[in-house]
């Protein structure tokens, strides 16, 4: 979403040639924002309107970034979309599908917001939050975090985030390697974001498995588990809208370079072959993403764990439904929007009632269908 007046990439901010801006899908700079080369943004990064003075490397997906001039800090709120703008994030998939007016839909596109590429960023974001929370805690104890190993920091941070929420709430948590320069990068609401990321992974994993079961009636959860060997593929590429593992992209490029693929038809055929295998690859990724949340506590998905996650997914679906309504309701309660109408009746005549909003109705229907689907496979 490119806002009007946004200057994405100022030229010649060093003696080198122009750099690049790399933005994953869902990138949204605010009106008249100014960003310097070279910068990189995780999926669904929302930049508040500002003149960002330094190069950025925003590694936390679904976040809100703000240049706090008064405090001379960069502020980042991870999982902002999930916590405060659910209407936009939930509507994305159906919006993109409806707006896809191609006459010949021969290009394969992943429209789902939660997919292997965004979930991998989410998993990495949880790891970063564990480390940064641990470092913030150790600093309050007068200890030097640099004396601790990476995995020890993650274990400490995870324990705090899972078991000591009141301790985390009073910590000053700072991000690292997110902005060129020496000023602080303050992480806002790390506790809430960490658990929001966990819910996103759970919801993605369970809904992906359920959709696979619906389209493969010969399968069940037990049979899926028996096929899950090896490790999670961690690097995914958005290749013109089609999502695929990085190793497949490298193989595609190698085959073009070596003459294995000599024509555009052969290359497009490879794209189609990869797309046919994508649902199985996505299922595998969803399964191992779910297991990531258990870390070393479990090696395989058990019946009890599956039922536990089904219940979690139902809770999350109801949360999505409620937040969609609350996000949309903000527009109806906005006193400045209301100020342009003579009275409530005129406003409803122009914009309608919130109960009549088509997507609010749609998400309520989807919630009911999801709950029924969970009961079917419980």
């Amino acid at each position: 979403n490119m806002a009007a007046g946004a200057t994405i990439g100022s030229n010649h901010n060093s003696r080198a040639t122009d750099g690049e801006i790399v933005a994953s899908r869902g990138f949204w700079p605010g009106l008249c924002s100014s960003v310097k080369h070279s910068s990189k943004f995780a999926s669904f990064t929302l930049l508040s309107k500002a003149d960002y003075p330094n190069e950025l490397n925003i590694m936390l997906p679904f976040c809100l970034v703000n240049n706090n001039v008064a405090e001379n800090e960069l502020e980042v709120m991870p999982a902002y979309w999930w916590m405060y703008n659910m209407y936009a994030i939930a509507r994305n998939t159906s919006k993109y599908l409806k707006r896809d007016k191609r006459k010949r839909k021969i290009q394969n596109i992943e429209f789902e917001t939660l997919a292997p590429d965004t979930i991998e960023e989410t998993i990495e974001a949880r790891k970063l939050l564990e480390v940064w929370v641990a470092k913030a805690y150790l600093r309050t104890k007068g200890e030097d975090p640099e004396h601790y190993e990476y995995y020890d920091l993650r274990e400490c941070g995870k324990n705090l985030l899972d078991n000591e929420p009141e301790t985390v709430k009073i910590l000053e948590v700072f991000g690292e390697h997110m902005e060129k320069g020496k000023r602080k990068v303050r992480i806002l609401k790390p506790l809430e974001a960490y658990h929001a990321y966990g819910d996103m992974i759970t919801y993605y994993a369970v809904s992906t498995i359920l959709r696979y079961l619906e389209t493969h009636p010969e399968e069940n959860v037990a049979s899926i588990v028996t096929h899950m060997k090896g490790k999670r593929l961690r690097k995914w590429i958005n290749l013109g809208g089609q999502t695929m593992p990085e190793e497949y992209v490298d193989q595609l490029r190698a085959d073009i370079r070596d003459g294995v693929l000599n024509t555009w038809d052969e290359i497009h055929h490879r794209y189609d072959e990869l797309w046919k295998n994508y649902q199985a690859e996505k299922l595998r990724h969803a399964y191992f993403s779910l297991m990531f949340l258990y870390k070393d506590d479990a090696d395989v998905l058990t019946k009890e764990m599956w039922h536990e996650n089904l219940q979690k997914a139902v809770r999350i679906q109801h949360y999505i439904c409620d937040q969609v309504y609350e996000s949309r309701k903000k527009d109806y309660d906005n006193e400045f929007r209301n100020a342009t109408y003579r009275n409530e009746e005129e406003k409803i005549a122009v914009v309608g009632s919130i109960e009549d909003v088509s997507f609010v109705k749609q998400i309520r229907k989807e919630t009911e269908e999801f709950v029924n689907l969970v009961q079917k496979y419980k």
Side-chain angles (χ1 to χ4, degrees):
N1 292 277
M2 297 302 296
T7 306
I8 308 301
S10 55
N11 292 336
H12 305 298
N13 58 330
S14 76
R15 288 153 300 283
T17 54
D18 292 350
E20 289 186 313
I21 298 292
V22 178
S24 298
R25 56 197 183 102
F27 176 60
W28 193 330
L31 291 167
C32 301
S33 295
S34 177
V35 182
K36 290 189 180 299
H37 283 146
S38 290
S39 291
K40 186 176 181 180
F41 301 95
S43 299
F44 292 90
T45 295
L46 176 60
L47 293 180
S48 66
K49 178 183 177 180
D51 181 2
Y52 292 90
N54 303 305
E55 295 87 332
L56 301 171
N57 181 20
I58 305 302
M59 300 172 278
L60 307 172
F62 304 99
C63 70
L64 172 65
V65 181
N66 176 55
N67 181 35
N68 188 330
V69 178
E71 299 294 335
N72 192 29
E73 292 180 346
L74 186 72
E75 297 175 335
V76 181
M77 187 187 297
Y80 165 82
W81 291 64
W82 185 264
M83 296 189 291
Y84 298 109
N85 197 18
M86 185 64 80
Y87 184 88
I89 193 174
R91 184 169 166 258
N92 267 329
T93 299
S94 61
K95 178 179 71 175
Y96 293 146
L97 284 168
K98 288 178 181 177
R99 293 182 181 179
D100 183 7
K101 303 298 184 183
R102 291 175 294 165
K103 297 292 184 182
R104 299 169 63 235
K105 296 184 179 182
I106 58 175
Q107 184 179 356
N108 310 306
I109 299 176
E110 171 61 272
F111 287 109
E112 292 288 340
T113 301
L114 300 181
D117 57 342
T118 53
I119 291 299
E120 274 305 312
E121 292 179 339
T122 301
I123 289 173
E124 292 305 310
R126 272 178 62 101
K127 295 177 183 178
L128 289 172
L129 290 176
E130 289 169 356
V131 170
W132 294 340
V133 165
K135 288 186 175 182
Y137 175 75
L138 291 170
R139 283 192 289 266
T140 65
K141 299 298 181 182
E143 299 187 49
D144 185 355
E146 302 308 318
H147 292 162
Y148 287 79
E149 297 292 332
Y150 169 75
Y151 287 104
D152 294 332
L153 289 171
R154 279 192 56 199
E155 184 176 354
C156 172
K158 178 175 173 54
N159 180 61
L160 289 165
L161 288 158
D162 284 340
N163 303 314
E164 299 186 41
E166 296 306 317
T167 300
V168 176
K169 286 180 180 179
I170 61 175
L171 294 175
E172 282 193 308
V173 180
F174 299 106
E176 299 173 341
H177 311 296
M178 298 181 74
E179 183 184 45
K180 183 181 178 182
K182 297 182 179 179
R183 68 174 183 165
K184 294 177 180 177
V185 178
R186 187 176 297 274
I187 305 300
L188 306 178
K189 298 185 179 293
L191 175 68
E192 295 86 342
Y194 182 79
H195 293 292
Y197 280 146
D199 282 351
M200 293 165 78
I201 296 168
T202 298
Y203 185 75
Y204 157 76
V206 172
S207 58
T208 299
I209 293 171
L210 288 175
R211 281 197 297 268
Y212 188 86
L213 291 171
E214 278 288 272
T215 55
H216 296 77
E218 73 281 3
E219 295 270 19
N220 57 45
V221 179
S223 66
I224 288 174
V225 171
T226 60
H227 300 153
M228 296 301 161
K229 308 295 181 184
K231 297 181 179 180
R232 188 181 85 250
L233 291 176
R234 300 188 179 190
K235 294 186 177 181
W236 293 75
I237 304 295
N238 174 9
L239 204 60
Q242 182 172 336
T243 308
M244 62 182 77
E246 184 181 59
E247 61 187 59
Y248 294 177
V249 178
D250 291 341
Q251 186 62 53
L252 171 65
R253 294 170 68 239
D255 288 344
I256 294 171
R257 183 176 61 247
D258 298 338
V260 176
L261 303 175
N262 280 314
T263 68
W264 281 114
D265 285 341
E266 291 174 346
I267 294 169
H268 294 161
H269 180 66
R270 174 69 63 83
Y271 271 75
D272 292 337
E273 287 181 335
L274 293 172
W275 185 253
K276 289 177 183 177
N277 295 328
Y278 176 59
Q279 294 309 317
E281 294 285 358
K282 191 174 180 179
L283 171 72
R284 178 182 176 82
H285 183 266
Y287 175 84
F288 284 113
S289 296
L290 188 62
M291 297 309 298
F292 163 80
L293 295 176
Y294 288 93
K295 292 192 72 174
D296 300 327
D297 296 334
D299 296 324
V300 66
L301 185 68
T302 65
K303 179 179 179 180
E304 291 72 24
M305 289 163 60
W306 173 239
H307 280 209
E308 175 190 5
N309 282 285
L310 284 175
Q311 289 304 111
K312 284 182 181 178
V314 168
R315 171 185 62 78
I316 296 167
Q317 180 65 55
H318 282 299
Y319 169 79
I320 292 171
C321 184
D322 293 342
Q323 288 302 113
V324 163
Y325 179 84
E326 291 299 324
S327 296
R328 192 69 179 90
K329 189 170 181 289
K330 291 175 187 176
D331 291 335
Y332 283 80
D333 294 341
N334 187 315
E335 61 177 302
F336 293 95
R337 286 177 181 258
N338 292 339
T340 62
Y341 302 104
R342 288 188 300 118
N343 50 48
E344 184 71 11
E345 289 76 17
E346 183 179 85
K347 182 181 79 170
I348 292 176
V350 174
V351 299
S353 166
I354 188 172
E355 300 298 332
D356 296 328
V357 175
S358 60
F359 187 69
V360 171
K361 291 181 177 179
Q362 178 184 327
I363 201 69
R364 286 173 174 171
K365 181 182 178 183
E366 289 177 0
T367 298
E368 182 180 350
E369 292 172 349
F370 185 84
V371 172
N372 291 336
L373 190 62
V374 167
Q375 292 301 321
K376 176 180 177 180
Y377 288 102
K378 193 173 181 181

